[in-house]
Amino acid sequence: MKVAIIHEWLDGYAGSERVLEQLLLLYPQAELFAVCDFLPAAERGFLGGRVPTTSFIQRLPRARQWFRYYLGLMPIAVEQFDLSAYDLVISSSHAVAKGVLTGPGTLHVAYVHSPMRYAWDLQHQYLRQSRLDRGVKGLLTRWLLARLRAWDHASGARPDVIAANSAWIAGRIRKAWRRDSVVVHPPVDLDGFPFQPDKQDHYVVASRLVPYKRIDLIAAAFARMPDRRLVIAGDGPEMARVREAAAGAPNIAIRGRVPQAELVALLQSARAFVFAAEEDFGIALVEAQACGTPLVAFARGGASDIVQPDETGLLFPDQTAESIMAAVARFESLSIAPAACRANAERFSRAAFRARMQALVEEALAARGGAA
């Protein structure tokens, strides 16, 4: 069986690349395609020596630094790949990869991290944060997003089968493309986060400090709970806002970015991991659970797929300091076993991901009369 895997773009080893890594292990014979490839040499190990076939975006002026500015050309670029000789095409998509063209004899399975967030429900937030909500540049950006939205909706009909990385994303897919999907949670490296049953009295946040993560809300909540300790690990553009929210609160320690070993130790020893973002999935939540650490998380997004209420953590309903404070108080009335948290994390292992994807593909091939 000839297999092709198409990935969006390669410029770093992050969440979507961890999915790609497992797909390449599942289908080692697969040929790899990408809109562009600027992955640093030190991060290429997971490709197993493969050099992906890339599009014309790779050769545009200053593409290494500016390839995201060529987003408007990427639908054309991805449609130029000739995949007519393949029996199975798997796309790993958060923008354009699922729009690849395939023939009637090819099974196309799309693993969707999200429809284009910036073209759909997060458009207004994106425009505000990019300062493109007014003026001529803003008008041109809105025009581009409208064209991308139309293409995204139309190309959403192209995959034969869609796998969504969470129930939250399955809902976005249904809203944007009017397609049903099967939830296949992304793989998490559980081995890197060993189980530790013994806990201390601090709560922990570990995250990039960017606006949508709402770390400032968590800091504001704990500033009003002086008898509860909070450790914040991470750095980013919101650092000043987080420091302002935590100002004068001796119970809050802001560590900045910490080495991986220190991060794991913080997660292992924490009383609970606090999470206030609306995230597509939330790999950090699973990493905390792998350490045996309960969760106090915002109820929207992928957290609802991860938290087993009152058994491995709890969900709070609103992105407010008051809601976080109430959740912490309620959490402390629960008795959550660290072993239950670790067992919950096992649902999201790399092996579990590969098994689910393989079963999904084999079922689709069988329905078409093909063979795995």
Side-chain angles (χ1 to χ4, degrees):
M1 185 172 66
K2 288 200 68 176
V3 181
I5 296 176
I6 177 165
H7 188 67
E8 219 82 67
W9 52 70
L10 289 161
D11 72 323
Y13 181 66
S16 62
E17 286 71 34
R18 295 171 195 271
V19 168
L20 174 60
E21 179 179 24
Q22 298 307 307
L23 292 175
L24 292 172
L25 289 173
L26 190 56
Y27 297 100
Q29 79 274 32
E31 296 180 42
L32 180 60
F33 295 79
V35 169
C36 55
D37 173 19
F38 299 113
L39 196 64
E43 300 181 30
R44 302 188 70 86
F46 77 97
L47 295 180
R50 297 176 182 83
V51 178
T53 300
T54 57
S55 74
F56 67 83
I57 300 289
Q58 183 83 19
R59 299 177 292 280
L60 292 179
R62 299 193 179 183
R64 181 178 294 273
Q65 296 82 18
W66 290 357
F67 71 88
R68 286 180 176 84
Y69 289 97
Y70 293 125
L71 179 63
L73 297 175
M74 288 185 185
I76 300 171
V78 81
E79 291 174 348
Q80 303 313 304
F81 291 128
D82 181 5
L83 304 181
S84 58
Y86 295 91
D87 304 299
L88 170 65
V89 171
I90 301 177
S91 56
S92 169
S93 184
H94 57 77
V96 300
K98 60 91 177 62
V100 68
L101 301 177
T102 59
T106 301
L107 174 66
H108 177 188
V109 177
Y111 187 86
V112 178
H113 307 275
S114 177
M116 292 185 191
R117 305 173 188 87
Y118 35 82
W120 292 97
D121 54 316
L122 299 184
Q123 172 184 281
H124 302 294
Q125 177 181 325
Y126 164 77
L127 290 171
R128 284 193 302 271
Q129 291 177 354
S130 304
R131 298 181 179 178
L132 292 170
D133 52 343
R134 56 177 59 88
V136 175
K137 286 186 178 180
L139 182 62
L140 290 173
T141 303
R142 291 174 192 274
W143 174 81
L144 172 62
L145 291 176
R147 289 178 60 86
L148 286 172
R149 192 159 48 247
W151 181 88
D152 194 52
H153 173 78
S155 62
R158 294 176 187 175
D160 299 292
V161 178
I162 298 176
N165 79 344
S166 68
W168 182 253
I169 293 304
R172 272 188 173 161
I173 290 169
R174 193 175 304 110
K175 184 76 171 179
W177 305 341
R178 303 303 188 219
R179 291 288 305 272
D180 290 330
S181 56
V182 178
V183 174
V184 179
H185 296 118
V188 182
D189 176 18
L190 303 183
D191 294 338
F193 296 86
F195 176 63
Q196 169 58 261
D198 299 324
K199 303 301 175 184
Q200 299 177 15
D201 69 344
H202 66 273
Y203 293 80
V204 69
V205 173
S207 172
R208 290 178 297 120
L209 305 187
V210 293
Y212 84 94
K213 296 285 189 177
R214 300 315 311 265
I215 311 302
D216 58 318
L217 283 182
I218 300 173
F222 276 82
R224 294 162 61 181
M225 297 185 291
D227 55 333
R228 295 177 174 103
R229 294 177 56 225
L230 174 68
V231 178
I232 299 174
D235 202 354
E238 288 287 284
M239 177 61 84
R241 185 185 295 270
V242 172
R243 290 192 183 279
E244 181 181 356
N251 60 313
I252 301 176
I254 300 176
R255 298 277 185 87
R257 187 171 182 175
V258 300
Q260 183 68 14
E262 184 177 342
L263 171 62
V264 172
L266 282 171
L267 292 178
Q268 289 177 318
S269 59
R271 186 171 186 176
F273 183 89
V274 188
F275 191 82
E278 180 185 304
E279 194 75 82
D280 295 342
F281 178 63
I283 286 176
L285 296 172
V286 179
E287 292 170 344
Q289 293 269 272
C291 294
T293 300
L295 305 172
V296 177
F298 181 43
R300 288 168 64 88
S304 296
D305 286 22
I306 299 168
V307 177
Q308 302 291 313
D310 297 350
E311 295 179 10
T312 69
L314 61 80
L315 299 166
F316 56 88
D318 303 308
Q319 272 183 322
T320 63
E322 291 76 14
S323 190
I324 295 170
M325 293 168 66
V328 169
R330 183 168 178 273
F331 166 76
E332 292 180 354
S333 71
L334 302 175
S335 179
I336 293 177
C341 297
R342 176 70 192 197
N344 185 43
E346 296 291 345
R347 298 190 293 133
F348 308 101
S349 69
R350 291 167 165 178
F353 170 82
R354 293 195 301 270
R356 291 189 190 106
M357 282 300 295
Q358 184 174 28
L360 182 66
V361 170
E362 290 180 352
E363 181 180 342
L365 284 169
R368 293 168 62 95

